[in-house]
Amino acid sequence: YCPYKGHASYWSVRTEVRSKENVIWCYENPHQEVARIGGHMGLYWGLMDAWFEDGIVWTDLETYQAV
């Protein structure tokens, strides 16, 4: 629970070879003051092995910069 945003929901990622618990989070019904974040999902970068964006695989998430 976040006093500023409300209650978050969490999801796990499972593949054929491994799984990670609670790596995706979302405020489905945030407080009215931050309603615009409702429905957006976030990922815990430190729990991911790589990030895939526009055909590019980022395995060093320390150097990744969104475009």
Side-chain angles (χ1 to χ4, degrees), residues 3 7 24 29 31 39 42 46 49 51 55 63:
H7 290 280
I24 302 170
N29 297 297
H31 294 314
D49 295 329
W51 183 262
T63 61

Side-chain angles (χ1 to χ4, degrees), residues 42-53:
L43 293 165
Y44 286 109
W45 286 78
L47 297 176
M48 299 285 101
D49 295 329
W51 183 262
F52 300 84
E53 184 174 325

